[in-house]
mmCIF file of all heavy atoms in Angstrom:
data_model
loop_
_atom_site.group_PDB
_atom_site.id
_atom_site.type_symbol
_atom_site.label_atom_id
_atom_site.label_comp_id
_atom_site.label_asym_id
_atom_site.label_seq_id
_atom_site.Cartn_x
_atom_site.Cartn_y
_atom_site.Cartn_z
ATOM 1 N N LEU A 2 21.078 -3.980 11.709
ATOM 2 C CA LEU A 2 20.701 -5.264 10.982
ATOM 3 C C LEU A 2 19.271 -5.593 11.406
ATOM 4 O O LEU A 2 18.881 -5.572 12.609
ATOM 5 C CB LEU A 2 21.631 -6.377 11.436
ATOM 6 C CG LEU A 2 21.361 -7.802 10.921
ATOM 7 C CD1 LEU A 2 21.449 -7.799 9.318
ATOM 8 C CD2 LEU A 2 22.293 -8.834 11.495
ATOM 9 N N ALA A 3 18.449 -5.876 10.434
ATOM 10 C CA ALA A 3 17.055 -6.246 10.547
ATOM 11 C C ALA A 3 16.810 -7.578 10.001
ATOM 12 O O ALA A 3 17.054 -7.792 8.774
ATOM 13 C CB ALA A 3 16.120 -5.210 10.079
ATOM 14 N N ASN A 4 16.387 -8.503 10.822
ATOM 15 C CA ASN A 4 15.955 -9.926 10.363
ATOM 16 C C ASN A 4 14.473 -9.985 10.547
ATOM 17 O O ASN A 4 13.798 -9.613 11.504
ATOM 18 C CB ASN A 4 16.612 -10.940 11.204
ATOM 19 C CG ASN A 4 18.116 -10.924 11.019
ATOM 20 O OD1 ASN A 4 18.589 -10.464 10.018
ATOM 21 N ND2 ASN A 4 18.926 -11.370 12.101
ATOM 22 N N GLU A 5 13.880 -10.621 9.560
ATOM 23 C CA GLU A 5 12.404 -11.033 9.604
ATOM 24 C C GLU A 5 12.237 -12.480 9.340
ATOM 25 O O GLU A 5 12.564 -12.925 8.267
ATOM 26 C CB GLU A 5 11.613 -10.092 8.621
ATOM 27 C CG GLU A 5 10.165 -10.335 8.674
ATOM 28 C CD GLU A 5 9.379 -9.345 7.760
ATOM 29 O OE1 GLU A 5 9.922 -8.373 7.340
ATOM 30 O OE2 GLU A 5 8.249 -9.767 7.389
ATOM 31 N N ALA A 6 11.737 -13.162 10.321
ATOM 32 C CA ALA A 6 11.473 -14.572 10.176
ATOM 33 C C ALA A 6 10.413 -14.840 9.204
ATOM 34 O O ALA A 6 9.517 -13.972 8.824
ATOM 35 C CB ALA A 6 11.085 -15.218 11.547
ATOM 36 N N PRO A 7 10.382 -16.012 8.569
ATOM 37 C CA PRO A 7 9.267 -16.381 7.573
ATOM 38 C C PRO A 7 7.961 -16.143 8.102
ATOM 39 O O PRO A 7 7.687 -16.527 9.300
ATOM 40 C CB PRO A 7 9.535 -17.779 7.242
ATOM 41 C CG PRO A 7 10.970 -18.050 7.621
ATOM 42 C CD PRO A 7 11.284 -17.088 8.702
ATOM 43 N N ALA A 8 7.031 -15.587 7.456
ATOM 44 C CA ALA A 8 5.604 -15.403 7.845
ATOM 45 C C ALA A 8 4.920 -16.755 7.727
ATOM 46 O O ALA A 8 5.305 -17.588 7.121
ATOM 47 C CB ALA A 8 4.985 -14.260 6.927
ATOM 48 N N ALA A 9 3.739 -16.743 8.442
ATOM 49 C CA ALA A 9 2.970 -17.992 8.482
ATOM 50 C C ALA A 9 2.523 -18.415 7.059
ATOM 51 O O ALA A 9 2.352 -19.582 6.719
ATOM 52 C CB ALA A 9 1.796 -17.770 9.390
ATOM 53 N N ALA A 10 2.372 -17.371 6.220
ATOM 54 C CA ALA A 10 1.798 -17.640 4.892
ATOM 55 C C ALA A 10 2.923 -18.063 3.906
ATOM 56 O O ALA A 10 2.592 -18.481 2.753
ATOM 57 C CB ALA A 10 1.017 -16.518 4.271
ATOM 58 N N GLY A 11 4.185 -17.975 4.215
ATOM 59 C CA GLY A 11 5.154 -18.246 3.308
ATOM 60 C C GLY A 11 6.517 -18.700 4.055
ATOM 61 O O GLY A 11 6.396 -18.980 5.235
ATOM 62 N N ASN A 12 7.559 -18.796 3.312
ATOM 63 C CA ASN A 12 8.777 -19.236 3.921
ATOM 64 C C ASN A 12 9.906 -18.441 3.422
ATOM 65 O O ASN A 12 10.998 -18.966 2.990
ATOM 66 C CB ASN A 12 9.071 -20.752 3.556
ATOM 67 C CG ASN A 12 10.031 -21.369 4.731
ATOM 68 O OD1 ASN A 12 10.184 -20.811 5.767
ATOM 69 N ND2 ASN A 12 10.469 -22.500 4.335
ATOM 70 N N THR A 13 9.705 -17.066 3.445
ATOM 71 C CA THR A 13 10.728 -16.124 2.962
ATOM 72 C C THR A 13 11.385 -15.435 4.166
ATOM 73 O O THR A 13 10.638 -14.922 4.949
ATOM 74 C CB THR A 13 10.104 -15.091 1.933
ATOM 75 O OG1 THR A 13 9.549 -15.836 0.842
ATOM 76 C CG2 THR A 13 11.202 -14.145 1.405
ATOM 77 N N VAL A 14 12.692 -15.375 4.137
ATOM 78 C CA VAL A 14 13.430 -14.717 5.209
ATOM 79 C C VAL A 14 13.976 -13.364 4.621
ATOM 80 O O VAL A 14 14.435 -13.332 3.482
ATOM 81 C CB VAL A 14 14.622 -15.642 5.672
ATOM 82 C CG1 VAL A 14 15.466 -14.923 6.740
ATOM 83 C CG2 VAL A 14 14.087 -16.995 6.211
ATOM 84 N N HIS A 15 13.831 -12.289 5.514
ATOM 85 C CA HIS A 15 14.418 -10.993 5.079
ATOM 86 C C HIS A 15 15.634 -10.756 5.907
ATOM 87 O O HIS A 15 15.680 -10.953 7.082
ATOM 88 C CB HIS A 15 13.427 -9.915 5.350
ATOM 89 C CG HIS A 15 12.209 -10.020 4.369
ATOM 90 N ND1 HIS A 15 11.313 -9.029 4.341
ATOM 91 C CD2 HIS A 15 11.838 -11.029 3.579
ATOM 92 C CE1 HIS A 15 10.399 -9.326 3.417
ATOM 93 N NE2 HIS A 15 10.682 -10.593 2.948
ATOM 94 N N TRP A 16 16.665 -10.347 5.266
ATOM 95 C CA TRP A 16 18.019 -9.951 5.903
ATOM 96 C C TRP A 16 18.481 -8.528 5.444
ATOM 97 O O TRP A 16 18.846 -8.504 4.285
ATOM 98 C CB TRP A 16 19.002 -11.008 5.707
ATOM 99 C CG TRP A 16 20.300 -10.968 6.608
ATOM 100 C CD1 TRP A 16 20.459 -11.537 7.845
ATOM 101 C CD2 TRP A 16 21.531 -10.203 6.284
ATOM 102 N NE1 TRP A 16 21.717 -11.155 8.299
ATOM 103 C CE2 TRP A 16 22.374 -10.476 7.366
ATOM 104 C CE3 TRP A 16 21.938 -9.473 5.166
ATOM 105 C CZ2 TRP A 16 23.636 -9.894 7.343
ATOM 106 C CZ3 TRP A 16 23.162 -8.900 5.251
ATOM 107 C CH2 TRP A 16 24.036 -9.083 6.363
ATOM 108 N N ASP A 17 18.271 -7.538 6.167
ATOM 109 C CA ASP A 17 18.512 -6.156 5.725
ATOM 110 C C ASP A 17 19.641 -5.551 6.586
ATOM 111 O O ASP A 17 19.534 -5.382 7.801
ATOM 112 C CB ASP A 17 17.285 -5.268 5.798
ATOM 113 C CG ASP A 17 16.209 -5.729 4.951
ATOM 114 O OD1 ASP A 17 16.481 -6.632 4.075
ATOM 115 O OD2 ASP A 17 15.105 -5.359 5.077
ATOM 116 N N ALA A 18 20.735 -5.144 6.018
ATOM 117 C CA ALA A 18 21.909 -4.536 6.721
ATOM 118 C C ALA A 18 22.123 -3.118 6.097
ATOM 119 O O ALA A 18 22.106 -2.941 4.924
ATOM 120 C CB ALA A 18 23.179 -5.391 6.549
ATOM 121 N N ASP A 19 22.277 -2.157 6.982
ATOM 122 C CA ASP A 19 22.394 -0.723 6.610
ATOM 123 C C ASP A 19 23.627 -0.224 7.324
ATOM 124 O O ASP A 19 23.661 -0.106 8.545
ATOM 125 C CB ASP A 19 21.179 0.031 6.934
ATOM 126 C CG ASP A 19 21.160 1.381 6.266
ATOM 127 O OD1 ASP A 19 22.100 1.714 5.450
ATOM 128 O OD2 ASP A 19 20.073 2.095 6.317
ATOM 129 N N LEU A 20 24.687 0.174 6.572
ATOM 130 C CA LEU A 20 25.897 0.680 7.140
ATOM 131 C C LEU A 20 26.209 2.127 6.558
ATOM 132 O O LEU A 20 26.070 2.390 5.386
ATOM 133 C CB LEU A 20 27.098 -0.178 6.773
ATOM 134 C CG LEU A 20 27.262 -1.471 7.576
ATOM 135 C CD1 LEU A 20 26.192 -2.499 7.318
ATOM 136 C CD2 LEU A 20 28.605 -2.087 7.098
ATOM 137 N N THR A 21 26.530 2.917 7.488
ATOM 138 C CA THR A 21 27.012 4.328 7.083
ATOM 139 C C THR A 21 28.251 4.620 7.822
ATOM 140 O O THR A 21 28.169 4.626 9.154
ATOM 141 C CB THR A 21 25.917 5.395 7.384
ATOM 142 O OG1 THR A 21 24.718 5.068 6.577
ATOM 143 C CG2 THR A 21 26.369 6.746 6.911
ATOM 144 N N TRP A 22 29.319 4.787 7.187
ATOM 145 C CA TRP A 22 30.549 5.137 7.973
ATOM 146 C C TRP A 22 31.379 6.307 7.298
ATOM 147 O O TRP A 22 31.063 6.631 6.205
ATOM 148 C CB TRP A 22 31.485 3.876 8.052
ATOM 149 C CG TRP A 22 32.158 3.367 6.872
ATOM 150 C CD1 TRP A 22 33.360 3.698 6.434
ATOM 151 C CD2 TRP A 22 31.536 2.372 5.924
ATOM 152 N NE1 TRP A 22 33.688 2.993 5.217
ATOM 153 C CE2 TRP A 22 32.547 2.219 4.962
ATOM 154 C CE3 TRP A 22 30.462 1.712 5.932
ATOM 155 C CZ2 TRP A 22 32.445 1.348 3.957
ATOM 156 C CZ3 TRP A 22 30.254 0.809 4.821
ATOM 157 C CH2 TRP A 22 31.252 0.629 3.827
ATOM 158 N N SER A 23 32.169 6.916 8.102
ATOM 159 C CA SER A 23 32.936 8.104 7.605
ATOM 160 C C SER A 23 34.427 7.879 7.936
ATOM 161 O O SER A 23 34.802 7.214 8.830
ATOM 162 C CB SER A 23 32.339 9.362 8.463
ATOM 163 O OG SER A 23 31.012 9.468 8.309
ATOM 164 N N ARG A 24 35.187 8.502 7.126
ATOM 165 C CA ARG A 24 36.570 8.499 7.296
ATOM 166 C C ARG A 24 37.063 9.952 7.598
ATOM 167 O O ARG A 24 36.576 10.910 6.910
ATOM 168 C CB ARG A 24 37.281 8.092 5.967
ATOM 169 C CG ARG A 24 37.125 6.693 5.566
ATOM 170 C CD ARG A 24 37.861 6.373 4.260
ATOM 171 N NE ARG A 24 37.664 4.903 3.913
ATOM 172 C CZ ARG A 24 38.086 4.425 2.816
ATOM 173 N NH1 ARG A 24 38.756 5.211 1.875
ATOM 174 N NH2 ARG A 24 37.822 3.115 2.566
ATOM 175 N N GLY A 25 37.742 10.034 8.642
ATOM 176 C CA GLY A 25 38.159 11.428 9.195
ATOM 177 C C GLY A 25 38.904 11.265 10.387
ATOM 178 O O GLY A 25 39.460 10.198 10.809
ATOM 179 N N ARG A 26 39.005 12.385 11.194
ATOM 180 C CA ARG A 26 39.659 12.347 12.528
ATOM 181 C C ARG A 26 38.595 12.251 13.620
ATOM 182 O O ARG A 26 37.863 13.224 13.853
ATOM 183 C CB ARG A 26 40.509 13.537 12.608
ATOM 184 C CG ARG A 26 41.740 13.678 11.729
ATOM 185 C CD ARG A 26 42.547 14.900 11.903
ATOM 186 N NE ARG A 26 41.716 16.061 11.462
ATOM 187 C CZ ARG A 26 42.069 17.317 11.698
ATOM 188 N NH1 ARG A 26 43.207 17.556 12.411
ATOM 189 N NH2 ARG A 26 41.390 18.260 11.142
ATOM 190 N N PHE A 27 38.527 11.113 14.261
ATOM 191 C CA PHE A 27 37.557 11.005 15.354
ATOM 192 C C PHE A 27 38.434 10.524 16.589
ATOM 193 O O PHE A 27 38.746 9.287 16.820
ATOM 194 C CB PHE A 27 36.547 9.871 14.959
ATOM 195 C CG PHE A 27 35.735 10.253 13.752
ATOM 196 C CD1 PHE A 27 36.069 9.896 12.511
ATOM 197 C CD2 PHE A 27 34.544 11.007 13.981
ATOM 198 C CE1 PHE A 27 35.396 10.314 11.434
ATOM 199 C CE2 PHE A 27 33.744 11.397 12.880
ATOM 200 C CZ PHE A 27 34.191 11.008 11.569
ATOM 201 N N PRO A 28 38.766 11.503 17.461
ATOM 202 C CA PRO A 28 39.697 11.065 18.538
ATOM 203 C C PRO A 28 39.203 10.174 19.572
ATOM 204 O O PRO A 28 39.970 9.679 20.320
ATOM 205 C CB PRO A 28 39.971 12.478 19.133
ATOM 206 C CG PRO A 28 38.752 13.340 18.776
ATOM 207 C CD PRO A 28 38.310 12.800 17.411
#
């Protein structure tokens, strides 16, 4: 998860989530 607070020149928030998961046998 990556968050970016509003920059001084604006008031826009960035919220980026990246998920990679697998189904299988993982003991």
Side-chain angles (χ1 to χ4, degrees):
L2 176 63
N4 297 332
E5 184 176 337
N12 203 16
T13 301
V14 179
H15 293 193
W16 192 89
D17 298 346
D19 197 353
L20 281 67
T21 303
W22 70 92
S23 305
R24 292 179 180 175
R26 291 179 293 169
F27 298 93

